[in-house]
Amino acid sequence: MVAPPETTVPLPGTPEYARKLRHAWRVCSVTSLGLVLIGINASTLNVALPAVVRHFEAGAFAASWILLSYLLVNTTTLVFFGRVADLLGRREVYLIGFVLFTLCSLLAGLSPDVGFLIAMRALQGLGSAMILANGTVIITDAFPPDRLSQGMGVYIGTLSVAQLAGPTLGGLVADTLGWQWVFWLNVPAGVLGLVWGWITLRRVPPGPRTPIDLAGNLIVFAALSAVLIALSEAGSRGLASPVVRAGLLTFLILLPLLLLAERRASHPVLDPRLFGRRMLTYANLASFCTALSRSALVLLVALYFQAARGIDAFTAALGVLPVPIGMALASPLAGALGRRISPYTLSVTGCAMNCAGLLTLTLSTGTDTPYWLIGTGLFLAGAGNGAFLTGNTTQVMAALPPGGLGVVNGFRLMIMNVGIVLSVATTLSVLTGTLTPALRDLVYAGTLSRLSPVAVDHLMTGFTRTYVVLTAVATAGLLCAALARTPR
């Protein structure tokens, strides 16, 4: 009689199943700390950005790249670190990510100028990529298949909790302790995550040594950098700007080169086989569109309260809380419902709620709009994204074979993060595209309503136009999610 393989999943009700489940929840606590670290970092800075801009007297371009440098590096290295973890060990790469992210957070608070801060943010992106590229795979490996949706719901729900606490912390810290503590808050969370991960995570033998697609990774980085520079400059200099044209031309030249390099690579960073199944194709497209519609929402609303309505950072932070509250409630609820409702249904329902929330915000833009109406739109968008992320992640990860999960998950996250990067760049460009450079700087500093009330009317047109764009993208995400049904 042949013994069952080590990968055999223990049956529910057995002692082995109970031990596996207890360990899985400990692993979930480790990976959740990673999301807390990353979520607090992003959400605090989104609210505190005007304080940072005022301190360094940074212009609009530098202000946007305080956010974009992190997102760019994080996005373009996710697949790379997924491959590295498959080769060197997931536990080791994951913990190194904690070390790098925590150290760079400490140094970011000591920045002597905005250039150094942007560099530290880029290095933070490297550490974040190591954490993100492996967290979902570690969760998938740890949980029995029948409990994966619960684990994924709690895992994603912790990001919502971090995003719930982050804006309030960011506004409070910026108004009291100073902008430096926006970064130093990451340090204790990073140390705690490193120690707990070292104790909890088990060593996993590395996979077979296969080549890393360095050429593909470099071309992806260069192409995305070019299009980001073009987008961030388009709002201030217009589409006819030489910088914008050069960025778009560089992207168009690099795109066919990337396709050629990936065809020749034995283990490409963008493996066309990952688009070979209809469900994976549409699920990833839905993830991209939803991220594009979601990711700049807290930043956009924080700028609305500070620049258009003249509210301080802490009060603005309270104003954006319906987004993370909605996510914090919907993510674990969707995870619990995942045992009875298919991930596909959760994904489509979440997209529909996101569309409803953004449409509410589009129809209620104004400096005198009642807060309950704004809060309703924000809550619907947040809850919709919480349900979508849980459903979409479970749908994709459960459909994949165990081998090479790190690369596939890194690719999935890269697609989503491209949406996040483009969301920030596109939103800021569309929002301030009709303003003069001087007025644009006042928007990022959060002082427009105090120094130029007349310009607020022009800015509100920008808010309306931005919400229309985000709603259209969210609708495309809903269509893709609906098409991602697994054939029976």
Side-chain angles (χ1 to χ4, degrees):
M1 183 175 180
V2 180
E6 294 183 357
T7 55
T8 299
V9 178
L11 295 175
T14 62
E16 292 80 6
Y17 183 90
R19 283 196 295 269
K20 181 177 179 63
L21 194 58
R22 284 195 298 269
H23 175 69
W25 284 116
R26 289 196 296 271
V27 169
C28 185
S29 69
V30 174
T31 56
S32 296
L33 277 173
L35 277 191
V36 167
L37 182 67
I38 293 168
I40 286 181
N41 168 72
S43 54
T44 53
L45 187 56
N46 279 341
V47 173
L49 180 64
V52 179
V53 171
R54 290 193 298 268
H55 174 84
F56 288 112
E57 298 181 351
F61 185 78
S64 63
W65 276 90
I66 292 173
L67 301 173
L68 292 176
S69 59
Y70 169 89
L71 294 171
L72 171 65
V73 174
N74 175 265
T75 298
T76 54
T77 56
L78 279 167
V79 174
F80 174 79
F81 285 120
R83 171 70 68 189
V84 169
D86 282 339
L87 301 179
L88 303 181
R90 202 160 307 287
R91 175 182 183 268
E92 289 72 17
V93 174
Y94 188 80
L95 295 179
I96 290 172
F98 268 98
V99 173
L100 181 60
F101 191 95
T102 304
L103 178 61
C104 291
S105 296
L106 177 65
L107 295 176
L110 300 172
S111 297
D113 54 55
V114 71
F116 185 87
L117 175 60
I118 291 173
M120 288 302 100
R121 290 281 294 156
L123 290 176
Q124 273 187 321
L126 280 179
S128 174
M130 295 181 190
I131 295 171
L132 285 175
N134 294 288
T136 308
V137 182
I138 291 172
I139 283 280
T140 304
D141 286 340
F143 275 89
D146 64 320
R147 295 296 186 97
L148 178 59
S149 65
Q150 284 183 298
M152 205 65 73
V154 172
Y155 174 61
I156 294 174
T158 57
L159 176 61
S160 308
V161 173
Q163 292 175 331
L164 174 62
T168 307
L169 284 174
L172 182 61
V173 167
D175 283 346
T176 55
L177 300 178
W179 66 269
Q180 294 89 342
W181 283 94
V182 169
F183 300 102
W184 290 342
L185 283 173
N186 299 326
V187 176
V191 172
L192 177 61
L194 176 63
V195 173
W196 183 230
W198 183 273
I199 295 171
T200 302
L201 297 180
R202 296 170 180 170
R203 295 182 183 274
V204 178
R209 292 189 175 275
T210 53
I212 294 176
D213 183 16
L214 290 177
N217 278 280
L218 290 174
I219 296 174
V220 167
F221 178 81
L224 193 54
S225 298
V227 76
L228 280 181
I229 291 173
L231 283 173
S232 58
E233 284 290 274
S236 57
R237 303 187 183 185
L239 295 176
S241 165
V243 175
V244 176
R245 289 183 175 181
L248 293 177
L249 180 61
T250 301
F251 174 77
L252 293 176
I253 292 174
L254 290 175
L255 192 57
L257 292 179
L258 176 62
L259 295 176
L260 180 63
E262 297 308 88
R263 285 184 178 180
R264 295 182 175 181
S266 59
H267 294 81
V269 63
L270 296 179
D271 192 339
R273 291 173 297 177
L274 298 178
F275 286 102
R277 295 172 58 184
R278 168 178 166 168
M279 187 276 287
L280 289 178
T281 299
Y282 284 114
N284 279 315
L285 287 174
S287 178
F288 169 80
C289 292
T290 306
L292 182 55
S293 71
R294 170 190 75 241
S295 303
L297 186 58
V298 169
L299 173 64
L300 181 66
V301 177
L303 287 175
Y304 163 76
F305 283 125
Q306 294 180 75
R309 298 182 72 153
I311 295 174
D312 61 87
F314 179 65
T315 307
L318 297 178
V320 303
L321 285 183
V323 175
I325 287 175
M327 291 187 70
L329 293 175
S331 296
L333 178 60
L337 292 174
R339 302 186 71 184
R340 298 177 177 86
I341 300 175
S342 70
Y344 169 82
T345 302
L346 292 173
S347 176
V348 173
T349 303
C351 282
M353 293 174 65
N354 181 42
C355 289
L358 290 172
L359 182 60
T360 300
L361 293 171
T362 303
L363 299 176
S364 60
T365 304
T367 55
D368 57 352
T369 302
Y371 178 74
W372 69 265
L373 192 56
I374 297 173
T376 298
L378 295 176
F379 180 81
L380 282 172
N385 278 283
F388 170 80
L389 284 170
T390 300
N392 178 263
T393 305
T394 304
Q395 183 182 14
V396 172
M397 298 304 290
L400 297 172
L405 270 180
V407 176
V408 175
N409 181 60
F411 176 79
R412 180 188 69 85
L413 287 171
M414 188 179 76
I415 293 297
M416 183 173 66
N417 272 32
V418 169
I420 293 174
V421 175
L422 294 180
S423 178
V424 174
T426 303
T427 295
L428 294 178
S429 181
V430 174
L431 174 64
T432 62
T434 60
L435 300 178
T436 64
L439 293 177
R440 191 175 300 111
D441 292 344
L442 296 181
V443 172
Y444 289 117
T447 57
L448 182 68
S449 63
R450 297 197 298 268
L451 300 178
S452 183
V454 176
V456 171
D457 292 335
H458 297 289
L459 181 61
M460 295 314 301
T461 301
F463 276 110
T464 301
R465 185 169 56 246
T466 305
Y467 282 129
V468 168
V469 171
L470 296 182
T471 303
V473 173
T475 303
L478 173 60
L479 178 61
C480 291
L483 292 172
R485 181 187 294 274
T486 303
R488 295 183 179 180

